[in-house]
Amino acid sequence: MKTFITAVCAWLVMTAAIAQAPTKGKVRGLVIDPTQKPSEFVTILLVKAKDSTLVKGVITNDKGQYDFDNVAEGGYRVATSLVGFRKVYSEPFVIDAANPEVQVKTLTMMEEAKSLNEVKVVAKKPFIEQEIDRTVVNVENSIVASGSTALEVLEKAPGVTIDRQNDNIQLKGRAGVIVLIDGKQTYLSGQEVSNLLKNTPSDNIEKIEIITNPSSKYDAAGNVGIINIRMKKNKNFGTNGTAIAGVGYGRYEKANASLNLNHRVGKINAFGNYSYFHNRRFQENSLDRIIPFDGKITYFDQSSFRPNRFDGHTFRTGVDYFINKKSTIGVLATGFINDWRQDNGINNSIIRNELGQITLKPTTDVSVKNKWSNVTGNLNYKYDFDGKGRELTTDLDYSRFNGDSYNNLSTTYTNANDSIVQPTAKVRNDMPSTIEIWAFKSDYVHPSKIGKWETGVKTSFVNSDNNLTYEDYIDGRWVFNAKQSNQFKYTENINAAYVNFAGKLNSKTSIQAGLRLENTHSRGNSVTLNKIVDRNYTNLFPTMFISRQIDTNNVLNLSFSRRIDRPNYQNLNPFRFYLDPYTYQQGNPYLKPQFTNSFQLTHVYKGKFSTTLGYSRTTDVIVNEVPGQIAEENITYVTTDNLATQNNVNLTASFPVAVTKWWNMQNNIGVNYNQYDSPYLGAQYNVSFVSYNIYTSQNFVLPKGFSAEIAGWYNSKSVYGFYRAQPQGAFSLGVQKTLMNRKATLKLNVNDPFWLNKFEGRAVYQDINFRVRARWESRIARLTFTYRFGNQNVKAARQRSTSTEAERNRAGGGNN
């Protein structure tokens, strides 16, 4: 909190200083590009003529014009600044009583020379940048992010909270986030996306984009918005690459290594990446339950320790062939092989009666193995009609997931004196599963005098098969349990089309409007239970964006969107996954899709300071981990269900502060109001709650190639579904040293050094009353070495969004 107060004070001091600056003159000018057209959104710097000290900065409008007001007397020059172009200076001029207004001679932008052998780029992006339509987390150069996982990095992003008990990702207090990797959806459920990110090395990530209101070009899935994870890509001609190796230790060892290669020559660009990630870790849980039944109360206390090990391999490889100036064809293959296992998990339970007397002490030994693999192939084509933005792109995708989840439980029952009172119960289940996805999409972009038109179509087919086999150990042999076993098949076809327009009403007002139509036909078939749920529905999803440039420093953006979230494939499967004989998780084949209408108003000051006010209303809210119980058997379970409505109001603010030349800070604050209103279990569940989160990072540039970073976050009490969660928070610190003429870096960081991060929540509703606590291995020290080799001027492989954007995020990813 002291850091936050310091940041606010520094911001106010800077604002006051600007307000008190001399107000005597005005400077105006025009910037054009090499083709003599106006250059919009170019940064213009007003500097002192004698020493080039920065005085002010503005951005050119859509006509290439700029102006500075309230300029004190003195000698000045102006300079242009834009990525990919050389800095161009004006001739010196003077502001005084005789020359209160100066019209600067037109400046012509000049492209940066292609030969960069002698250029050393030392500028560093801030860890978090606030752009007009999205928040960007720059992972690539972060010290505290090095050697960690994608989930740990995402946890530091503004507005993002991770429910570590249930591994759910929430944005601005709401679940339903769609996660893309390089613009391609992962097809995993929310919990399984969390598991995938938990096992993705952060050293492979360039940046994370958080888009709260996507346009109609994107799939309508994701009521909260989109998190797009951009993986690192080389940017050089010739051959180059990056090698990374890291080690870490908390309670157990960690290791990671990756190799990224890129070769670009003539009409061919080939690229590839391979990563290996090893992580041993643990999680401790406790679950305290109060179960009323038949006029009596049972107290059920459970604690568990679950060490586990993960070994994962990921790959990405592809080739782009530039047929001619207009046509490009490419192939891309990505995939992973993950092996997660828990061999020595143990759940200890104590059951007491209303007098506090121990009636039973069950102890369950748990062994879990989860293997999950994926291969995705993409064939893509791009045709550029005229080199002026009119283009056609097509993508054909095939993706296949193969998984096998094995679970073995052995429960011993003892009394208060630790004497065995009933035979040991052994059960096991095995669930092989496959998911196949075919998808095709085509997009056409057509610029015109009044704006840019976009239109496209998409179709996808999904086929999922899960076959759960459940067995009991009886009289020395394993016996098939037909009641608990279940085969579940799911098919889905989605057809979509959209149109989108972006243009300007005038020099200061821009608009974007779109409409997307999606038809969904799904069929869930519980073969064993002979239950079929068949749905066919068509929906329209409009989007609207308005941006107003109030002046050179202030921009207002207003947006509206309607979105849908369909149930993921595993949540539709009605099978039960047991943690012990008294606790299990169960799917729900009757889940309905949820729909969300969202409004958002954003104010951006000087391209850096932003404030956003948002409101959304969701109907048929899909809520994970909905609690239930069978009181007469002391059983507690969780499932996924629909609640009637959820209202959310959120306010976020982002303000970077340059304290000194060597000290920069980034601060983000978010406040959320959540309200649920729904009938459930024979009563009306109506709850509302206000929560907030704070993130701050301090970046220091030190002598002799050293730099340092300290980052911290805090989430207040919050509510999600039926759970009220206690505050969470942690901080991390790191130091970095550049080596080998800036070709290598060595990073040392420590995450959560005082082991502050933990989860604690409670659910109280009707006869349900339990408290959950969880801790995990968050205190970790990591050392990472990165070496860049080869030609460092190669152009990157094309960023593209394949046709399998909305389905992969809903596939099963294992129970990590």
Side-chain angles (χ1 to χ4, degrees):
M1 188 58 69
K2 289 182 179 180
T3 301
F4 170 63
I5 294 173
T6 301
V8 173
C9 291
W11 183 38
L12 293 175
V13 168
M14 289 193 300
T15 304
I18 293 173
Q20 296 172 8
T23 57
K24 293 184 179 181
K26 176 174 287 190
V27 178
R28 295 174 177 171
L30 173 68
V31 180
I32 59 177
D33 63 20
T35 65
Q36 306 301 305
K37 294 181 180 179
S39 292
E40 56 183 352
F41 305 122
V42 178
T43 299
I44 306 297
L45 308 175
L46 179 66
V47 299
K48 292 183 179 180
K50 62 179 180 179
D51 57 8
S52 295
T53 302
L54 178 63
V55 178
K56 288 185 178 182
V58 296
I59 298 175
T60 60
N61 60 22
D62 62 314
K63 297 180 180 180
Q65 300 167 338
Y66 65 89
D67 60 77
F68 294 93
D69 296 320
N70 304 323
V71 180
E73 293 185 357
Y76 300 96
R77 291 200 299 171
V78 296
T80 64
S81 178
L82 186 66
V83 175
F85 290 84
R86 293 172 55 186
K87 183 175 287 188
V88 179
Y89 286 90
S90 72
E91 295 294 328
F93 58 86
V94 175
I95 293 288
D96 56 22
N99 300 285
E101 294 189 12
V102 173
Q103 180 71 36
V104 179
K105 185 179 178 180
T106 299
L107 301 176
T108 302
M109 301 293 292
M110 300 177 64
E111 292 186 6
E112 191 72 65
K114 293 183 179 180
S115 177
L116 300 176
N117 292 335
E118 301 301 322
V119 177
K120 294 181 180 180
V121 180
V122 296
K124 178 182 176 182
K125 293 182 179 180
F127 182 60
I128 295 177
E129 285 185 297
Q130 186 65 54
E131 298 183 1
I132 290 177
D133 62 340
R134 66 193 64 192
T135 300
V136 180
V137 182
N138 292 301
V139 180
E140 185 171 14
N141 294 318
S142 172
I143 304 170
V144 299
S146 181
S148 57
T149 69
L151 189 67
E152 290 170 333
V153 175
L154 194 58
E155 196 169 38
K156 299 178 174 67
V160 176
T161 56
I162 308 296
D163 175 0
R164 286 285 191 162
Q165 169 64 18
N166 304 307
D167 280 337
N168 287 316
I169 302 172
Q170 299 178 37
L171 180 59
K172 296 185 177 180
R174 295 183 294 146
V177 181
I178 294 298
V179 176
L180 310 180
I181 296 180
D182 282 338
K184 299 173 285 295
Q185 204 152 345
T186 56
Y187 293 110
L188 306 177
S189 68
Q191 181 178 0
E192 291 148 354
V193 165
S194 177
N195 291 329
L196 175 63
L197 298 180
K198 190 189 300 180
N199 299 306
T200 300
S202 64
D203 293 304
N204 292 349
I205 300 173
E206 177 188 354
K207 61 184 178 181
I208 298 174
E209 300 171 333
I210 302 172
I211 311 170
T212 50
N213 263 4
S215 71
S216 297
K217 184 175 183 177
Y218 291 92
D219 291 294
N223 79 91
V224 179
I226 291 173
I227 294 177
N228 187 21
I229 300 175
R230 292 287 187 184
M231 309 304 286
K232 288 182 180 178
K233 293 179 177 63
N234 291 310
K235 301 179 180 180
N236 302 340
F237 282 103
T239 302
N240 80 336
T242 303
I244 299 173
V247 294
Y249 194 83
R251 180 178 293 189
Y252 302 110
E253 80 284 353
K254 296 91 174 53
N256 64 283
S258 67
L259 179 64
N260 191 21
L261 294 172
N262 195 81
H263 179 74
R264 185 180 177 97
V265 59
K267 295 184 176 183
I268 295 178
N269 183 56
F271 52 93
N273 173 272
Y274 167 77
S275 297
Y276 169 72
F277 195 64
H278 167 79
N279 192 0
R280 286 185 65 206
R281 57 196 174 205
F282 74 91
Q283 181 159 331
E284 297 175 335
N285 293 75
S286 66
L287 177 61
D288 301 330
R289 293 173 257 187
I290 301 175
I291 304 176
F293 178 71
D294 199 21
K296 299 180 180 180
I297 294 178
T298 299
Y299 298 93
F300 197 116
D301 300 329
Q302 179 188 63
S303 62
S304 65
F305 179 76
R306 294 182 287 171
N308 56 78
R309 169 177 174 157
F310 173 85
D311 289 280
H313 307 263
T314 62
F315 71 89
R316 180 180 184 272
T317 184
V319 176
D320 290 329
Y321 178 68
F322 303 90
I323 302 172
N324 51 48
K325 291 184 178 180
K326 293 186 176 183
S327 300
T328 304
I329 191 170
V331 292
L332 175 69
T334 62
F336 61 79
I337 300 173
N338 292 341
D339 186 350
W340 182 91
R341 59 186 62 201
Q342 173 187 302
D343 294 323
N344 300 303
I346 186 169
N347 294 330
N348 294 308
S349 301
I350 299 177
I351 302 175
R352 295 183 175 90
N353 59 24
E354 65 271 15
L355 301 177
Q357 299 168 333
I358 296 177
T359 59
L360 196 63
K361 294 171 62 179
T363 299
T364 301
D365 295 318
V366 183
S367 176
V368 181
K369 295 180 182 179
N370 190 342
K371 293 185 178 181
W372 194 245
S373 63
N374 163 250
V375 174
T376 298
N378 165 256
L379 175 65
N380 58 87
Y381 175 76
K382 176 182 176 181
Y383 183 78
D384 190 336
F385 289 88
D386 50 18
K388 298 180 180 180
R390 188 162 69 99
E391 64 181 34
L392 175 71
T393 59
T394 59
D395 287 270
L396 176 65
D397 282 66
Y398 172 75
S399 187
R400 181 181 176 90
F401 293 82
N402 290 294
D404 195 358
S405 180
Y406 175 82
N407 195 20
N408 194 328
L409 286 74
S410 176
T411 304
T412 302
Y413 299 89
T414 61
N415 58 20
N417 298 319
D418 294 326
S419 299
I420 296 177
V421 295
Q422 63 186 72
T424 299
K426 295 182 179 181
V427 298
R428 69 182 185 185
N429 58 63
D430 184 31
M431 190 180 75
S433 59
T434 60
I435 301 174
E436 285 188 309
I437 303 167
W438 286 94
F440 170 83
K441 77 181 182 80
S442 183
D443 300 285
Y444 174 68
V445 180
H446 186 91
S448 68
K449 292 182 179 180
I450 62 173
K452 182 174 70 173
W453 294 90
E454 295 177 284
T455 186
V457 295
K458 176 184 175 180
T459 184
S460 65
F461 297 88
V462 178
N463 188 356
S464 171
D465 190 352
N466 299 271
N467 190 9
L468 174 69
T469 301
Y470 195 100
E471 296 176 309
D472 298 297
Y473 193 73
I474 301 175
D475 296 332
R477 63 188 182 93
W478 290 103
V479 179
F480 177 72
N481 187 328
K483 183 178 179 181
Q484 297 291 348
S485 299
N486 179 49
Q487 183 177 15
F488 180 74
K489 293 185 176 182
Y490 180 82
T491 59
E492 179 183 85
N493 172 221
I494 300 176
N495 296 299
Y498 76 92
V499 62
N500 198 71
F501 172 77
K504 290 182 177 292
L505 295 179
N506 51 52
S507 61
K508 292 187 175 181
T509 306
S510 301
I511 64 167
Q512 179 174 286
L515 183 65
R516 187 178 185 90
L517 180 145
E518 292 190 355
N519 170 261
T520 305
H521 183 200
S522 64
R523 189 174 189 269
N525 180 11
S526 181
V527 179
T528 307
L529 302 178
N530 195 27
K531 292 182 179 179
I532 295 178
V533 179
D534 194 297
R535 289 196 173 103
N536 194 330
Y537 49 93
T538 302
N539 303 101
L540 291 173
F541 302 96
T543 58
M544 172 67 75
F545 304 83
I546 301 176
S547 179
R548 174 73 174 175
Q549 183 89 37
I550 300 174
D551 53 35
T552 55
N553 292 327
N554 295 278
V555 178
L556 276 179
N557 299 310
L558 178 65
S559 62
F560 164 78
S561 68
R562 174 174 169 81
R563 306 193 68 77
I564 184 176
D565 275 291
R566 301 174 182 87
N568 74 71
Y569 314 133
Q570 298 295 0
N571 282 343
L572 291 168
N573 192 341
F575 82 92
R576 295 178 179 180
F577 182 85
Y578 282 85
L579 297 177
D580 66 22
Y582 302 93
T583 315
Y584 64 83
Q585 183 178 26
Q586 181 172 337
N588 180 1
Y590 301 105
L591 279 174
K592 296 179 291 184
Q594 66 179 21
F595 295 88
T596 301
N597 293 313
S598 298
F599 298 86
Q600 187 168 284
L601 177 65
T602 301
H603 170 245
V604 181
Y605 178 67
K606 289 190 174 181
K608 297 188 299 181
F609 303 87
S610 70
T611 307
T612 300
L613 177 65
Y615 167 75
S616 67
R617 179 176 177 83
T618 304
T619 56
D620 290 324
V621 188
I622 298 175
V623 179
N624 294 315
E625 307 295 326
V626 174
Q629 64 186 21
I630 306 173
E632 60 271 26
E633 300 180 29
N634 290 329
I635 290 176
T636 299
Y637 64 90
V638 293
T639 188
T640 303
D641 212 337
N642 295 104
L643 299 185
T645 61
Q646 178 190 9
N647 291 299
N648 174 271
V649 180
N650 58 80
L651 177 66
T652 58
S654 173
F655 47 99
V657 178
V659 183
T660 67
K661 290 183 178 180
W662 52 269
W663 178 11
N664 287 277
M665 65 170 66
Q666 172 69 46
N667 305 283
N668 297 275
I669 300 175
V671 180
N672 299 286
Y673 168 80
N674 267 320
Q675 190 240 352
Y676 294 89
D677 189 10
S678 177
Y680 194 74
L681 296 181
Q684 192 72 17
Y685 180 67
N686 191 317
V687 64
S688 58
F689 206 87
V690 176
S691 60
Y692 65 91
N693 59 74
I694 299 173
Y695 173 84
T696 182
S697 66
Q698 318 294 316
N699 296 273
F700 307 94
V701 178
L702 305 176
K704 297 183 179 181
F706 281 93
S707 57
E709 183 177 336
I710 302 175
W713 59 274
Y714 176 81
N715 297 329
S716 73
K717 291 182 179 180
S718 60
V719 62
Y720 170 68
F722 291 87
Y723 296 89
R724 291 178 182 264
Q726 294 299 306
Q728 286 182 264
F731 75 94
S732 52
L733 49 92
V735 64
Q736 171 181 289
K737 176 71 169 71
T738 58
L739 305 166
M740 303 179 182
N741 196 26
R742 307 186 69 87
K743 290 185 177 180
T745 57
L746 186 65
K747 301 178 183 180
L748 174 65
N749 67 73
V750 180
N751 186 69
D752 195 10
F754 297 114
W755 205 22
L756 302 174
N757 198 3
K758 60 182 179 180
F759 175 85
E760 183 173 342
R762 187 163 189 171
V764 179
Y765 181 71
Q766 298 291 79
D767 63 341
I768 298 170
N769 187 342
F770 65 84
R771 183 177 65 173
V772 178
R773 286 165 292 181
R775 302 203 77 174
W776 53 93
E777 192 182 29
S778 60
R779 179 169 55 189
I780 303 170
R782 294 183 175 94
L783 183 67
T784 305
F785 178 76
T786 302
Y787 179 69
R788 295 169 292 278
F789 56 90
N791 184 355
Q792 296 300 304
N793 300 316
V794 179
K795 187 177 180 180
R798 292 180 298 139
Q799 291 272 13
R800 54 185 174 271
S801 173
T802 70
S803 57
T804 52
E805 283 191 352
E807 294 76 22
R808 290 179 59 196
N809 209 38
R810 296 162 55 212
N815 190 32
N816 292 16

